[in-house]
Amino acid sequence: MTSRIEDYALIGDCETAALVSRDGSIDWLCFPRFDSPASFAALLGTPENGRWRIAATDRKARISRRYRPDTLILETTYETDEGVATLIDFMPLRDGTNDLIRLVVGRKGTVAFSTDFVVRFDYGRTVPWVTRADDGTITAVAGPDRLILSTPVPLEGEDLHTAGSFKVSAGEQVPFVLTYGPSTTPRPTQPDVQAALANTESYWRDFAARCPSVGPWTDVVKRSLITLKALTYMPTGGIVAAATTSLPEQIGGPRNWDYRYCWLRDATMTLQAFMKLGYYEEASAWREWLMRAIAGAPEQMQIMYGLSGERNLLEWEPHWLSGYEGSRPVRIGNAAAEQFQLDVYGEVADAMMQAAAGGLQRHPRTRALSEVIMNFLETAWRRPDEGIWEVRGGAQHFTHSKVMAWVAFHRAANMAIKSGDRPAFAERCQRVADEIHDDVCRKAFDPDLDSFVQSYGSKTIDASLLQIPLVGFLPADDPRVIGTVRAVETMLMRDGFLLRYNTDHVDDGLPPGEGAFLVCTFWLADVYVLQGREDDARRLYERLVGLCNDVGLLSEEYDPIAERMLGNFPQAFSHIGLINTALNLARQTGPAEERVEASGQSVAQADAV
């Protein structure tokens, strides 16, 4: 049976990642990149779709785990009547080879272990040709892919599995080194396990040490920062939304998507999280990825890209995978990349301004990019779109999309004013911003509900409406905002957490049903801060932090009835929300206040033009 989502931990090397279950099974691993075909895909099927398990043979063993402090090194400890031993899992940063190292360390007495190594390339479909060298090394090859497993433990093949048993006593260490590489290249040199462990620990500790105090939430913020770094594709600076694909938003349902790509929508909040904590190198790398990815005609700008800015993210279904707990279809690729989503233009403009406000040197293409985007958007903002939630039920005039179009023109005007040499462009942008503002206030506010609504003419409430005060479209104390927050609380709250919208009442192209969306609940806490509801914000934030699993990770959604995580894991957006809300609570001026203050300054300055 597949483990619960919250029973997994993440290890990675800033180019790919693996999920390790509480019982020592690696059920998901893609080599050499996050978006490469999985070599272990049991997460979305069965052990026959690939996994690598190392665990105590005593089924009554008491299991505990943790990350080694301020690192991404996972330690799983097995305690039996005969002894205690720890399984250490980590992935060294790339040094020319792609390695995953597992080290079993005896702590007390003697503990018996077994290992089951099942490689299935191509998302669990392809059985490799497995051979054993004279030194006991196991090599698995299929087409262009090759995995090499080195260990002193004797391993035997049976029923397309490679298995072995061993014991470890106090003071002993048993290493396993798995190396990936093209099948056409020479066999790589095996790393020194102890040196790799020391170097990996040093890297992560040095990274975490740069994190300043965030009051009582420093530790959870550090863990979220480490998780964001682990989801970063270091060669380009792109950050994947999650390490997985097709973990369901409802068990057994079809809302299963591939999140191993980089969304423009995450840009502003990611930059704010990094810059507010002093991680300017990471912020700059992310901004550079963003600028490269969107280069080209503005009408061709996508809402998401591949790790290096790839645009072709063709969606298809591996029919041989049964899905997580039977949740089908499994999807590889993401067709939403082809959707028109108006809000991303606002996110890009806001990211440019926030980067400059945060101290990053202005990108040389900022001005030219701003002008061509505004030229396109001046007419495009009137079009319906698929919106922030990437609905597959047809385009609409989504309120959040229009608000973010306002953000695009508003921020462009702000930047033009600050440059001092484009008064005509600034005036033009502000004029369009004012037109959009008036359009939204007339068409998206429902007096009967005393709230803004999901789309023009609808009666549906949407958690994305919380962005209205967060981006500075209206003040947090505006009566229309207060009414909207009340409607969100009344209609979307489930056991203290927010739905994105009520899928029973919205035709989004899919059957209804999903969990509470965690980042939306962080947004509500942020709005509480802006409204001076500090106690409400703290209580809500503490509940959200309480959802983190035992090693501090969050998924995309949560089922408050079944009390379990849902959606892809770990989710960058959730951890970005955790960081920014902590900063909003802990500092006099947090990311939410800075975003609103920048907006307010822009209004005042634009009025003077």
Side-chain angles (χ1 to χ4, degrees):
M1 180 178 177
T2 307
S3 297
R4 283 194 169 205
I5 293 170
E6 56 266 33
D7 285 337
Y8 285 98
L10 180 81
I11 59 173
D13 61 5
C14 296
E15 294 190 35
T16 191
L19 292 190
V20 187
S21 71
R22 185 182 295 275
D23 68 350
S25 181
I26 295 177
D27 290 343
W28 183 255
L29 173 62
C30 303
F31 267 136
R33 305 190 345 166
F34 292 104
D35 58 351
S36 298
S39 302
F40 302 137
L43 179 71
L44 300 178
T46 73
E48 295 306 314
N49 295 121
R51 66 118 182 233
W52 182 17
R53 185 172 186 264
I54 298 177
T57 56
D58 185 349
R59 295 186 178 182
K60 297 181 180 180
R62 295 170 292 281
I63 302 173
S64 60
R65 61 180 183 171
R66 65 162 194 166
Y67 282 117
R68 189 170 289 189
D70 292 346
T71 76
L72 201 65
I73 299 170
L74 180 67
E75 298 183 335
T76 304
T77 297
Y78 298 86
E79 183 177 354
T80 71
D81 293 340
E82 287 73 37
V84 179
T86 298
L87 170 63
I88 301 173
D89 287 321
F90 67 100
M91 296 178 72
L93 276 292
R94 298 283 175 91
D95 59 356
T97 61
N98 312 329
D99 299 311
L100 189 158
I101 297 176
R102 315 192 77 178
L103 181 65
V104 183
V105 179
R107 306 293 188 191
K108 178 182 177 182
T110 299
V111 181
F113 278 83
S114 63
T115 181
D116 183 35
F117 181 68
V118 187
V119 179
R120 300 290 185 267
F121 293 116
D122 301 321
Y123 295 107
R125 177 176 59 176
T126 302
V127 178
W129 180 18
V130 178
T131 58
R132 185 196 328 274
D134 292 341
D135 61 0
T137 299
I138 300 296
T139 300
V141 173
D145 299 307
R146 179 181 63 195
L147 281 170
I148 300 172
L149 176 60
S150 299
T151 179
V153 174
L155 300 175
E156 297 293 336
E158 183 178 354
D159 296 330
L160 303 180
H161 291 226
T162 301
S165 299
F166 63 97
K167 292 183 178 181
V168 61
S169 299
E172 295 180 343
Q173 297 188 1
V174 179
F176 295 79
V177 179
L178 183 66
T179 301
Y180 173 86
S183 59
T184 55
T185 60
R187 174 178 168 177
T189 303
Q190 182 177 335
D192 180 283
V193 171
Q194 294 302 324
L197 179 59
N199 291 338
T200 303
E201 181 169 8
S202 177
Y203 174 84
W204 288 110
R205 285 187 180 275
D206 288 347
F207 174 81
R210 294 154 52 196
C211 180
S213 172
V214 193
W217 305 293
T218 301
D219 287 343
V220 294
V221 166
K222 276 188 179 181
R223 178 50 52 194
S224 290
L225 268 172
I226 290 170
T227 303
L228 283 182
K229 183 68 172 179
L231 294 174
T232 300
Y233 185 64
M234 193 177 291
T236 66
I239 301 174
V240 296
T244 58
T245 178
S246 300
L247 290 182
E249 296 171 8
Q250 181 186 43
I251 300 298
R255 296 174 185 264
N256 317 317
W257 317 109
D258 195 343
Y259 276 14
R260 298 172 300 154
Y261 306 112
C262 309
W263 266 254
L264 301 190
R265 187 170 292 116
D266 302 359
T268 299
M269 285 186 281
T270 304
L271 281 172
Q272 285 189 310
F274 278 141
M275 291 188 300
K276 287 293 287 184
L277 293 171
Y279 286 79
Y280 284 93
E281 180 181 343
E282 286 73 19
S284 179
W286 169 238
R287 198 269 305 267
E288 291 301 313
W289 174 89
L290 175 69
M291 299 300 284
R292 290 192 304 271
I294 64 176
E299 63 270 19
Q300 294 181 331
M301 195 167 84
Q302 298 185 181
I303 59 107
M304 74 179 86
Y305 295 87
L307 305 177
S308 300
E310 297 91 344
R311 293 171 178 248
N312 185 5
L313 309 181
L314 183 66
E315 185 176 303
W316 59 281
E317 299 174 11
H319 58 82
W320 57 88
L321 289 174
S322 58
Y324 179 86
E325 293 192 18
S327 303
R328 301 185 72 177
V330 172
R331 292 183 173 94
I332 307 301
N334 200 313
E338 301 173 11
Q339 291 184 348
F340 173 60
Q341 296 178 22
L342 187 61
D343 65 294
V344 298
Y345 295 92
E347 293 292 358
V348 169
D350 202 26
M352 291 178 187
M353 193 186 76
Q354 294 298 333
L360 289 183
Q361 185 176 359
R362 180 163 292 189
H363 194 281
R365 288 201 298 269
T366 295
R367 176 169 177 161
L369 186 62
S370 174
E371 291 180 355
V372 296
I373 287 178
M374 294 309 109
N375 288 338
F376 166 73
L377 202 55
E378 195 164 356
T379 56
W381 77 264
R382 301 179 185 277
R383 292 166 49 188
D385 74 325
E386 280 81 11
I388 182 175
W389 306 129
E390 303 171 0
V391 299
R392 301 194 177 194
Q396 301 179 48
H397 290 282
F398 286 105
T399 301
H400 173 264
S401 297
K402 305 300 186 187
V403 168
M404 294 309 297
W406 171 86
V407 168
F409 285 99
H410 199 261
R411 298 329 190 231
N414 180 293
M415 289 186 286
I417 291 167
K418 288 185 177 180
S419 70
D421 60 351
R422 292 187 293 166
F425 177 73
E427 185 175 5
R428 172 185 157 207
C429 287
Q430 191 59 47
R431 184 171 60 250
V432 179
D434 292 342
E435 182 181 0
I436 298 172
H437 198 283
D438 178 68
D439 194 68
V440 171
C441 290
R442 285 188 298 107
K443 297 179 180 178
F445 186 79
D446 188 314
D448 295 334
L449 294 173
D450 191 28
S451 173
F452 286 94
V453 290
Q454 183 183 57
S455 61
Y456 288 3
S458 79
K459 291 287 186 179
T460 301
I461 303 301
D462 190 307
S464 66
L465 299 171
L466 294 170
Q467 289 295 314
I468 289 173
L470 290 174
V471 300
F473 183 85
L474 286 173
D477 59 359
D478 186 287
R480 291 165 292 183
V481 172
I482 293 173
T484 299
V485 172
R486 186 184 304 116
V488 167
E489 293 170 321
T490 301
M491 299 185 188
L492 299 182
M493 192 80 79
R494 297 293 184 273
D495 293 323
F497 306 104
L498 289 185
L499 303 175
R500 296 183 298 173
Y501 52 88
N502 193 326
T503 57
D504 290 321
H505 300 158
V506 175
D507 179 12
D508 60 6
L510 294 165
E514 65 174 10
F517 209 78
L518 297 184
V519 76
C520 295
T521 314
F522 282 114
W523 293 346
L524 180 59
D526 295 336
V527 173
Y528 285 163
V529 172
L530 293 181
Q531 292 182 332
R533 299 169 60 178
E534 293 282 342
D535 290 343
D536 290 336
R538 286 175 180 268
R539 280 193 295 269
L540 185 55
Y541 185 71
E542 291 294 350
R543 287 203 69 196
L544 284 161
V545 170
L547 296 183
C548 292
N549 72 358
D550 58 318
V551 289
L553 302 181
L554 285 172
S555 64
E556 178 186 26
E557 298 187 5
Y558 180 74
D559 182 344
I561 297 175
E563 298 184 336
R564 62 179 301 184
M565 291 186 182
L566 295 171
N568 284 303
F569 177 85
Q571 176 78 1
F573 220 9
S574 297
H575 285 281
I576 292 165
L578 185 152
I579 293 170
N580 282 327
T581 303
L583 289 167
N584 290 331
L585 287 168
R587 297 188 177 179
Q588 186 173 0
T589 303
E593 289 90 345
E594 284 191 349
R595 206 171 183 184
V596 171
E597 284 178 6
S599 172
Q601 291 165 3
S602 176
V603 170
Q605 292 166 333
D607 288 344
V609 173

